[in-house]
Amino acid sequence: MPELLKQAGYATFHFGKWHVGDARPEYKPLAKGYDRFVGFLAGYLGSYTNPWLLNNTRIVQYGGHLTDILTDQAVDVIDNHAHDEPFLINLWYYAPHLPLDPHPRWAEKYPDTDEGKYAAMVSTLDENVGRIMRAVESAGIKDNTSIVFTSDNGGADSTHPTGNGDLKGYKGELFQGGIKVPLFVKWPGRIPAGTFNHSLVTTVDFMPTLTDILGIDAPPTDGQSLTSALFQGAHLDKKLLFWENVTQGTYTYAVRDGKWKLVRHRYEDYLYDIVDDPNETTDLAAVNAGVVVS
C-alpha cells in the first residue's frame, strides 16, 4: 500500500508497532515503501516510559510516554506536510497492550489496580486520538483527510482487565471475541456523520479501498473496495473468509461462509449461525455435519 501511494505522490510514514517481519532488511518499514519510521519491530515492548525506539535505522531513547511520543510524530507530519503534499500515516499505537504502564497524569485519576491502570491506558489513548483529530482540523485539511480507527484483535483473556461484552472468546482465539473489532472511518463531506454499516469487512480491504478512491492501478488482492459501503451505504457481502492461528503449538482456524462460521478450537469443531447467533452460544456442528465437511 505505501509503495503504491508513493507512486501517486504521497509521502508515507509509519509510527509505532511493526510486528509483520524483521528477520531481513527487506521485511522492515523502510523497504516496504515508508519514507520514515519511528517505532519498534517486535510484538512486545518492555515499558511505555522513556522507550528505546528505531528512528529509521538509528536506535534512540525518547523521553516521555510511548503513546504521547508516537502522537507527537504524527502531529509533526500533519503540521508540516498538510499544505505541501498528500500523506499516508500508519499510526500503530501499542496501547493498551501489556505492560500496564499508564502515564501518571491518567494513572492518578483511577484506582491503583490492574483495572484502574488499564482504564488509564485507554484514557491516554483516547486523549491522543483527540490530539490527532485537532491537528487535522487546525491544519485545515479535515474535509479531504480520511481517518480510520480500528484494532488488530479483541480484548485479551481473563488475566487481563478487558471485556468483549457478550462476544465469546478473547485475543488469540478465533471466536468473535478474538477477531471482531470496531472500525470507525471519519471523512467530513464524504461520509455522513453518525451512520452505521453492517457489512462484513477486514483490514485487507483497506488497500483496494484507498487505491480505488485515488484511481491507482493496483494488483489483485484478497480484499475488496469499500467505497460503495462508505459513500453510498451499500451492504457488502463476502463469500468466504479464513483465519488461522498457532498458539502454544496448537493450530486453530475459522471459516466464514455467509451465515455459517466454523471454528476449529482445541481439536474440536464448532459451527455457528453467526447471523442469528452473533455471540456463538449454540454449537450446531452435530446437527449440520454436511455444512462442517462441505
Side-chain angles (χ1 to χ4, degrees), residues 18-201:
W18 178 268
H19 197 195
V20 289
D22 67 338
R24 297 202 296 263
E26 60 265 31
Y27 295 161
K28 299 177 182 180
L30 297 183
K32 292 297 184 183
Y34 292 101
D35 295 319
R36 184 156 183 258
F37 167 62
V38 176
F40 57 103
L41 301 174
Y44 183 80
L45 192 66
S47 174
Y48 283 78
T49 304
N50 303 329
W52 290 88
L53 303 174
L54 271 174
N55 184 328
N56 284 348
T57 58
R58 295 185 304 112
I59 299 177
V60 178
Q61 186 174 27
Y62 288 79
H65 192 270
L66 176 65
T67 307
D68 296 339
I69 292 164
L70 298 177
T71 304
D72 291 343
Q73 299 294 322
V75 169
D76 182 68
V77 170
I78 295 167
D79 289 346
N80 291 291
H81 285 265
H83 302 292
D84 297 331
E85 57 189 341
F87 59 84
L88 166 72
I89 299 175
N90 268 5
L91 179 54
W92 289 3
Y93 285 116
Y94 190 51
H97 195 288
L98 290 176
L100 296 176
D101 183 19
H103 194 288
R105 71 176 180 272
W106 282 104
E108 66 184 13
K109 299 178 185 295
Y110 294 93
D112 187 21
T113 62
D114 284 351
E115 289 78 7
K117 292 175 182 177
Y118 184 82
M121 294 184 69
V122 173
S123 292
T124 306
L125 175 63
D126 182 60
E127 175 188 48
N128 278 279
V129 171
R131 290 179 58 201
I132 297 295
M133 308 286 273
R134 289 192 298 273
V136 168
E137 185 159 0
S138 296
I141 58 172
K142 68 180 180 68
D143 289 338
N144 64 337
T145 300
S146 176
I147 300 176
V148 179
F149 182 93
T150 189
S151 178
D152 55 348
N153 49 251
D157 63 22
S158 56
T159 64
H160 200 61
T162 65
N164 294 317
D166 294 329
L167 297 179
K168 181 177 181 176
Y170 297 94
K171 172 184 175 179
E173 299 177 342
L174 299 180
F175 298 110
Q176 292 295 84
I179 62 176
K180 184 177 182 179
V181 297
L183 170 63
F184 302 93
V185 184
K186 180 179 175 66
W187 194 348
R190 296 294 304 273
I191 302 174
T195 57
F196 293 83
N197 191 300
H198 296 285
S199 298
L200 178 62
V201 304

